[in-house]
Amino acid sequence: MKRIVYTFFLTLFACLSTHAIEVTKLTCNMQEGFVVVNESPRLGWMMKSNKNDTRQTAYEIEIRTNGTNCAQPPVWSSGKIRSAQSQHLSCADAPLSSTIGLNYLWRVRVWDETDRPSAWSTESTFRYAPQALDKGTWIGAITRKAARLPEGRKFHGSELNKPETKALWEAVDTLAKKSIYLRNSFRTDKQILEATAHVCGLGHYEFSLNGTKVGDGEFTPLWSDYDKTVYYNTYDVTRLLQRGENVAGVLLGNGFYNVQGGRYRKLQISFGAPTLLFKLEVNYTDGTREVIASGADWKYDFSPITFNCIYGGEDYDARCEQRGWDRPGFDDSRWRKVVVQEAPKGELRPQLAAPVRIMERYGVTKVTKLTPTQIQDACKSTKRTVDPSALVLDMGQNLAGFPEIKVSGKRGQKITLLVAEALTDEGAANQRQTGRQHFYEYTLKGDGVETWHPRFSYYGFRYIQVEGAVMKDAKNPNHLPVLHHIQSCFIYNSARKLATFETSNPLFNAAHRLIEKAVRSNMQSVFTDCPHREKLGWLEQAHLNGPGLFYNYDLTGFIPQMMQNMADAQHSNGAMPTTAPEYVIFEGPGMDIFAESPEWGNSLVMLPFMYEAAYGDDSLIKKYYQSMRRYVDYLTTRADSSIVSFGLGDWYDYGNFRAGFSRNTPVPLVATAHYYQAINCLIQAAQKVGNRYDEAHYTQLAQQVKHDFNRRFFDVNTNQYGSGSQCSNALPLFLNMTDSATTPKVLANLIKDVEEHGNRLTTGDVGNRYLFQTLARNGKHELLYKMFNHEDAPGYGFQLKFGATTLTEQWDPRQGSSWNHFMMGQVDEWFFNSLVGVQSVASAPGCQHLEIRPQPVGDLTFVKSTVETLYGPVTIHWTRKSKAFTIHLTVPVNCTASVYLPGESQARQVGSGQHQFTNHQL
């Protein structure tokens, strides 16, 4: 009998356990893993369950310090809190200290709708930013004063060719350009509880402990305006330390901190010579603590990197390697004492965004040996001497990164790697449109098979031109080095990809991939315009592609850091430049037009609202409210009778001309519309922060601007705005600047223009989103389908037919320019919010409640997608067969959704779990 009862309770327990919520993912400030915080952390978690309509009704959080265990009383316990909230949980009431110098560990358990508790989650870790890090000592090889580095951000374009400019940079001490090793030996003779390293090496660094590289980031720390902000990285290095002697080693390169040229450079700027700030906090189990910091006792020597420039490339002489330089036992008696340097002017801040990493690798798809005639012709077309040994490798994918080689040969032999995204007519690597000369040189040490890739420079390329080597197993009469293996290393910001997208239309699938590869190529420290000739953080693409970006990538850390960069770039008069960080100030004849433009500056006011919609977090709106207001006030000073008349307008619009400056749409119309857009964002922000005066003031201003905009640009006889172009009419429709009587007429004119152009667009970088979304919001999905489902220019299909593997700068890539921009990628928003149908709800930001509105248009027979929210993945798979539409849907635990099937106006309300609905009335 006892055995029967025991079995019964085991079975009952198993059933109850199966139905309980499981906590699956813990975050601090929406970040996973080891998180550094400046203020009281905000905690969050995901959950899963194997049954429908599961929701959280209560939670309990425990926080303890490292060194204690779960059996001991925690530092703080929330107790059981009745709440469905599972994101942005404040710990303001917890007795946490930023001076304790230890990691905090936390865990959570939750109760479901039947008040059944989950098991405790696994623990996660956060740590407060270090105290007094800004009081530390910066070290390197030479001070800025001794280096004679020029001041200012004017060194670009024609300025670089002026004799006085050349003289300034030629007078710089060459020591200021050198890549250096730094090392420090120290001892730890007690049992270690935890060890945390805080590192800032400028422009970029690689950090190792006892010969092991710490972290897997490339180009760390991420870029900033070093006069305003300097980012540092924090690492848990407990497992890398050993009893006895330890060695910290740091390799430094130039990055954007110290752009001095030597080959191709877009600009020249220097905030100082390469420099290091280092602090290692070691806590022992006996309660004592030790700090190892950068100081005058460190030593340095030159690294094997003999040239490095973020624009020009990198050279490496393996003969200069010093084996064991970053390990215990190395003899550094010949090394030099470091120089204590001036600290950068910027405020030290922990890096919020994920690091850049090597994320993908691509191998060779085709090898071409250039003939003597081709080489002779290529010497002229490329303006360089092409070696007779030249091989051109097609790596199959255009990307941002660098090559990695495995090579063997004699000591002192040299290999040159020239990278490019296009080929000349002769078949050689062509950098004419993307900045030349950029290349990598590797000098062999002659020690078996040697492996190398650049550390401090990258480029946008598909092709690698190899000079001075032969491929493995090839004939080698000249005894050149043998290339055993070569790959393209695709580097980009390691922010997680959140979404998948697949349809029955191969062109749409390929277009999505085209955009993804271009976004990733340009998602580096900042969103760059291109990965080769500029690498600058042009701002407009962030908000104009914003919804698509938020669907696809985890931007919880990237956007706050971008906002900091924009706030740093904002001028004292409130003006917002077109790039952030602002490494170059565009001024002078022909260049000042690029200095500022409302369509670019509006990222400052748009991104905080997109961030709130995606994550339910309004902290960026509140933090940058004053910056947003200063920007709107600045635009007001530039307005004449409410009309703003400067800027780039609908950049790179389409017509029977080479794209560039806006040709189809008046610049003042586009600029003023974005001025109006910024005012309306500010009104919402004023409501958010409770500033009633500002709310009333800017509401009145918006009404005046709208009135003056219509008086200036609307033709009552034709019901057209501006030139009647697609951008001219789409912008006021999208921004609700039309009245109820004229809206249908303007919309009809917009549709007519699209149809008269053969169902083709004429918009560019700026106008695309407003055209696409105006049509989508007015139910014109069939027209959108026709606009995208073809292989003609302008369109994504034409770029694919052309052979592009990343989205190109111009709608027609034959016109030249870059073949790796993502500014035209706004169709991704339509893919997800319309074809897939996942939409956030304005009244409930953060995606805890969603609307699902799929649009089965054209000849689509299915769409499959997954979009991960803070609460978990939303999966949608709909099919269409005959007149039946069926959708399979998964909603995360603790979430709800309103599902609108095609042809139905009444929503089906669902909770978490898996659901299936069919509509037979299509």
Side-chain angles (χ1 to χ4, degrees):
M1 182 64 184
K2 289 182 179 181
R3 184 182 182 111
I4 295 174
V5 172
Y6 179 73
T7 303
F8 169 80
F9 279 106
L10 276 180
T11 304
L12 177 62
F13 178 78
C15 292
L16 292 175
S17 299
T18 300
H19 292 293
I21 295 179
E22 179 184 352
V23 180
T24 59
K25 174 184 170 183
L26 272 59
T27 59
C28 176
N29 295 351
M30 295 185 284
Q31 306 299 302
E32 287 186 87
F34 182 55
V35 180
V36 178
V37 299
N38 272 324
E39 302 170 346
S40 178
R42 293 178 302 157
L43 307 180
W45 52 89
M46 282 186 187
M47 296 165 283
K48 68 179 183 180
S49 172
N50 64 353
K51 74 183 188 78
N52 283 9
D53 300 319
T54 303
R55 65 185 187 278
Q56 172 190 303
T57 57
Y59 68 85
E60 181 178 11
I61 298 171
E62 287 187 349
I63 302 177
R64 66 182 180 89
T65 55
N66 196 12
T68 61
N69 58 54
C70 295
Q72 296 173 291
V75 171
W76 178 74
S77 173
S78 67
K80 184 177 180 180
I81 304 295
R82 290 287 179 184
S83 172
Q85 186 178 358
S86 58
Q87 294 293 333
H88 312 303
L89 273 297
S90 172
C91 296
D93 296 336
L96 307 178
S97 172
S98 61
T99 62
I100 193 172
L102 286 170
N103 294 338
Y104 284 104
L105 289 81
W106 71 281
R107 62 179 186 169
V108 64
R109 60 175 174 171
V110 301
W111 282 260
D112 68 9
E113 70 282 357
T114 63
D115 207 31
R116 286 177 295 183
S118 71
W120 283 103
S121 69
T122 56
E123 289 185 316
S124 191
T125 306
F126 66 86
R127 184 186 185 89
Y128 279 90
Q131 297 292 302
L133 186 61
D134 58 343
K135 306 297 183 184
T137 301
W138 293 83
I139 59 174
I142 189 172
T143 64
R144 181 180 186 114
K145 182 178 180 181
R148 302 183 297 276
L149 291 163
E151 300 276 354
R153 308 186 189 202
K154 65 178 181 178
F155 304 111
H156 64 93
S158 61
E159 182 72 25
L160 293 172
N161 298 320
K162 293 181 178 179
E164 57 269 31
T165 297
K166 292 181 178 180
L168 275 175
W169 289 96
E170 287 171 358
V172 173
D173 192 310
T174 57
L175 186 55
K177 308 176 185 179
K178 300 287 188 181
S179 169
I180 58 174
Y181 285 144
L182 299 104
R183 76 185 306 272
N184 182 256
S185 177
F186 60 95
R187 297 189 63 84
T188 54
D189 292 319
K190 294 187 289 185
Q191 186 175 354
I192 297 171
L193 172 63
E194 65 179 33
T196 307
H198 311 281
V199 187
C200 181
L202 302 176
H204 295 304
Y205 71 89
E206 283 192 2
F207 164 44
S208 58
L209 267 178
N210 298 326
T212 299
K213 180 180 174 180
V214 179
D216 56 359
E218 306 287 334
F219 301 96
T220 50
L222 301 185
W223 309 333
S224 63
D225 182 335
Y226 304 100
D227 282 346
K228 303 289 183 64
T229 292
V230 176
Y231 297 116
Y232 67 89
N233 305 102
T234 298
Y235 305 95
D236 183 344
V237 295
T238 308
R239 296 181 181 180
L240 295 178
L241 292 181
Q242 59 192 23
R243 280 186 179 253
E245 184 186 8
N246 293 272
V247 173
V250 179
L251 169 67
L252 290 183
N254 291 316
F256 268 112
Y257 186 73
N258 190 38
V259 184
Q260 295 198 42
R263 296 175 189 161
Y264 168 72
R265 75 273 192 225
K266 171 72 177 177
L267 56 91
Q268 287 184 256
I269 186 174
S270 182
F271 298 87
T275 187
L276 172 68
L277 179 69
F278 181 90
K279 184 177 183 180
L280 174 62
E281 300 173 294
V282 183
N283 290 290
Y284 298 103
T285 55
D286 65 2
T288 60
R289 189 165 181 262
E290 186 175 4
V291 175
I292 295 92
S294 49
D297 58 327
W298 285 56
K299 289 186 174 183
Y300 85 91
D301 202 357
F302 300 117
S303 86
I305 299 174
T306 57
F307 173 85
N308 73 103
C309 174
I310 194 71
Y311 284 115
E314 188 165 319
D315 297 343
Y316 188 93
D317 190 340
R319 297 172 299 179
C320 300
E321 291 178 349
Q322 300 185 52
R323 184 169 297 175
W325 71 273
D326 56 353
R327 292 186 176 93
F330 178 79
D331 180 7
D332 62 5
S333 59
R334 295 185 179 181
W335 281 37
R336 303 158 178 84
K337 288 288 186 180
V338 297
V339 172
V340 174
Q341 298 171 310
E342 307 95 333
K345 298 176 184 178
E347 180 180 344
L348 278 167
R349 305 180 193 273
Q351 181 176 301
L352 300 175
V356 172
R357 294 188 174 114
I358 299 174
M359 301 297 291
E360 302 176 43
R361 294 173 183 267
Y362 290 84
V364 180
T365 62
K366 182 181 179 182
V367 180
T368 302
K369 177 72 173 72
L370 296 183
T371 67
T373 301
Q374 289 173 320
I375 289 171
Q376 183 179 2
D377 292 342
C379 289
K380 298 176 183 178
S381 64
T382 63
K383 295 186 177 181
R384 64 179 294 273
T385 300
V386 179
D387 191 85
S389 63
L391 304 168
V392 176
L393 313 181
D394 184 350
M395 310 304 287
Q397 174 65 51
N398 199 8
L399 50 78
F402 41 68
E404 182 178 78
I405 60 173
K406 292 185 178 180
V407 62
S408 63
K410 297 178 182 179
R411 182 177 179 84
Q413 288 183 309
K414 184 181 295 184
I415 295 177
T416 299
L417 304 171
L418 192 82
V419 290
E421 65 176 16
L423 298 177
T424 66
D425 291 341
E426 307 84 36
N430 184 3
Q431 297 178 341
R432 186 175 68 86
Q433 294 281 354
T434 54
R436 61 187 181 192
Q437 304 290 331
H438 178 107
F439 57 87
Y440 312 105
E441 285 187 350
Y442 181 79
T443 303
L444 282 75
K445 59 189 172 184
D447 184 16
V449 177
E450 306 171 32
T451 301
W452 176 77
H453 68 68
R455 294 301 191 275
F456 302 126
S457 189
Y458 77 97
Y459 203 72
F461 69 97
R462 172 174 173 171
Y463 304 97
I464 305 174
Q465 186 168 305
V466 180
E467 299 178 7
V470 299
M471 302 297 288
K472 183 182 179 182
D473 299 327
K475 294 180 180 180
N476 192 7
N478 297 320
H479 306 290
L480 297 175
V482 176
L483 197 59
H484 296 266
H485 191 63
I486 184 167
Q487 289 183 315
S488 292
C489 297
F490 193 176
I491 65 157
Y492 50 81
N493 193 279
S494 56
R496 289 188 309 115
K497 191 173 189 309
L498 301 179
T500 62
F501 175 78
E502 182 186 358
T503 76
S504 58
N505 186 318
L507 191 155
F508 286 8
N509 300 337
H512 173 68
R513 183 183 183 278
L514 203 69
I515 295 166
E516 176 191 341
K517 296 303 182 185
V519 169
R520 282 310 207 179
S521 293
N522 288 288
M523 193 175 179
Q524 302 292 330
S525 294
V526 299
F527 281 126
T528 64
D529 62 326
C530 58
H532 28 61
R533 69 170 187 249
E534 294 200 25
K535 299 185 174 80
L536 296 178
W538 293 87
L539 296 174
E540 91 293 355
Q541 56 192 357
H543 80 88
L544 292 169
N545 286 277
L549 297 172
F550 278 100
Y551 276 118
N552 280 286
Y553 308 104
D554 178 358
L555 302 180
T556 52
F558 196 94
I559 295 300
Q561 188 154 308
M562 185 176 179
M563 289 299 300
Q564 181 65 60
N565 288 340
M566 285 192 285
D568 288 345
Q570 189 173 25
H571 294 183
S572 59
N573 64 354
M576 189 66 221
T578 50
T579 61
E582 190 182 23
Y583 293 132
V584 55
I585 295 177
F586 297 107
E587 54 189 5
M591 295 301 296
D592 54 353
I593 192 172
F594 295 103
E596 51 177 305
S597 187
E599 308 81 14
W600 276 244
N602 266 24
S603 277
L604 180 68
V605 296
M606 292 293 293
L607 286 178
F609 287 94
M610 292 182 177
Y611 192 83
E612 182 190 29
Y615 307 125
D617 181 2
D618 62 5
S619 62
L620 296 183
I621 299 172
K622 295 175 179 176
K623 181 176 181 179
Y624 294 103
Y625 177 75
Q626 296 300 330
S627 298
M628 296 161 67
R629 184 170 66 176
R630 287 173 54 229
Y631 181 55
V632 169
D633 289 347
Y634 168 76
L635 291 178
T636 302
T637 67
R638 296 291 306 271
D640 181 5
S641 299
S642 301
I643 304 303
V644 176
S645 299
F646 70 94
L648 296 170
D650 189 15
W651 180 249
Y652 267 61
D653 53 0
Y654 186 78
N656 58 351
F657 46 79
R658 179 167 180 170
F661 293 100
S662 179
R663 301 277 289 274
N664 298 326
T665 307
V667 166
L669 183 152
V670 181
T672 306
H674 282 82
Y675 172 40
Y676 179 76
Q677 182 185 57
I679 297 169
N680 278 284
C681 284
L682 187 59
I683 294 167
Q684 297 176 59
Q687 295 169 344
K688 184 76 66 175
V689 302
N691 191 325
R692 294 184 178 179
Y693 174 85
D694 279 3
E695 181 184 351
H697 170 71
Y698 291 106
T699 297
Q700 185 177 8
L701 178 62
Q703 292 169 350
Q704 185 64 50
V705 172
K706 179 178 179 179
H707 174 269
D708 292 346
F709 177 90
N710 279 281
R711 184 178 59 183
R712 169 71 179 273
F713 297 112
F714 183 64
D715 187 326
V716 296
N717 296 314
T718 63
N719 292 299
Q720 303 267 26
Y721 280 87
S723 62
S725 69
Q726 294 171 15
C727 181
S728 292
N729 286 326
L731 254 174
L733 286 168
F734 180 90
L735 295 174
N736 297 315
M737 301 181 81
T738 59
D739 60 39
S740 58
T742 60
T743 295
K745 299 174 183 178
V746 177
L747 179 62
N749 279 326
L750 174 63
I751 295 170
K752 180 181 178 182
D753 188 86
V754 173
E755 291 173 342
E756 287 180 347
H757 281 89
N759 298 322
R760 303 293 186 264
L761 57 83
T762 62
T763 48
D765 175 20
V766 175
N768 288 338
R769 183 184 183 226
Y770 303 111
L771 171 64
F772 300 169
Q773 289 306 304
T774 296
L775 294 176
R777 293 177 184 186
N778 286 279
K780 303 303 177 181
H781 298 285
E782 293 292 344
L783 179 57
L784 282 163
Y785 190 83
K786 294 175 183 176
M787 286 173 59
F788 302 137
N789 189 35
H790 61 83
E791 294 184 340
D792 302 323
Y796 302 99
F798 183 80
Q799 297 193 19
L800 292 164
K801 184 179 179 180
F802 176 76
T805 60
T806 47
L807 195 61
T808 67
E809 184 176 14
Q810 297 207 36
W811 279 120
D812 186 347
R814 296 171 301 183
Q815 297 295 324
S817 303
S818 163
W819 291 350
N820 199 343
H821 269 62
F822 77 92
M823 67 182 188
M824 300 293 195
Q826 297 92 337
V827 72
D828 246 10
E829 180 179 0
W830 183 68
F831 284 165
F832 283 93
N833 73 5
S834 296
L835 298 191
V836 178
V838 178
Q839 301 178 12
S840 61
V841 181
S843 60
C847 300
Q848 192 166 12
H849 179 72
L850 293 165
E851 287 186 355
I852 311 298
R853 297 176 178 266
Q855 300 292 332
V857 296
D859 58 358
L860 289 179
T861 58
F862 77 86
V863 169
K864 295 169 63 176
S865 179
T866 298
V867 177
E868 185 177 307
T869 71
L870 288 183
Y871 300 91
V874 178
T875 64
I876 291 176
H877 180 195
W878 64 254
T879 58
R880 181 171 56 165
K881 187 175 182 181
S882 299
K883 292 186 177 182
F885 175 90
T886 300
I887 185 170
H888 300 267
L889 169 69
T890 302
V891 178
V893 169
N894 216 30
C895 294
T896 56
S898 299
V899 184
Y900 294 84
L901 296 190
E904 296 183 359
S905 59
Q906 188 68 33
R908 304 165 189 250
Q909 305 298 331
V910 300
S912 67
Q914 299 182 8
H915 308 278
Q916 177 179 327
F917 302 108
T918 299
N919 182 348
H920 295 280
Q921 304 302 316
L922 283 184

